Amino acid sequence: MEYKERRRGPRYPCIASAELIEQRADVRIASGVSELSMNGCYLDMMNPFPQGTFVLVKISAGEDFFQCKGKIVYSQMNMGAGVGFLEMDNASKMILERWMDDAKKEALKNA
């Protein structure tokens, strides 16, 4: 069976800290970001939320802070979770675009 890539855009390696918040139960999980795209990210964590869980994603890197609503797209116990971004404000979108531009430049430089 052939694997079909379902991502809508390129992903880049990323080192940042993140917090996921499941708002109904006010459960918070701290994690690290390992990959980032304009449409989502992969978060490293031991006990991720189950697939389908709606979360608030907060990512900080240096002085920059990004947050948006998201959904757990897939969950891998003892590894992490893929999060799809759903809603973000313009300020967070601008920060994410800048991070993506920086990551793209870094990838080209190291190619």
Side-chain angles (χ1 to χ4, degrees), residues 47-61:
N47 297 304
F49 291 115
Q51 181 176 338
T53 304
F54 289 95
V55 293
L56 180 64
V57 183
K58 296 182 176 185
I59 301 173
S60 57

Side-chain angles (χ1 to χ4, degrees), residues 38 66 83 105 108 111:
M38 284 302 296
F66 164 90
V83 180
K105 288 175 190 166
L108 289 172

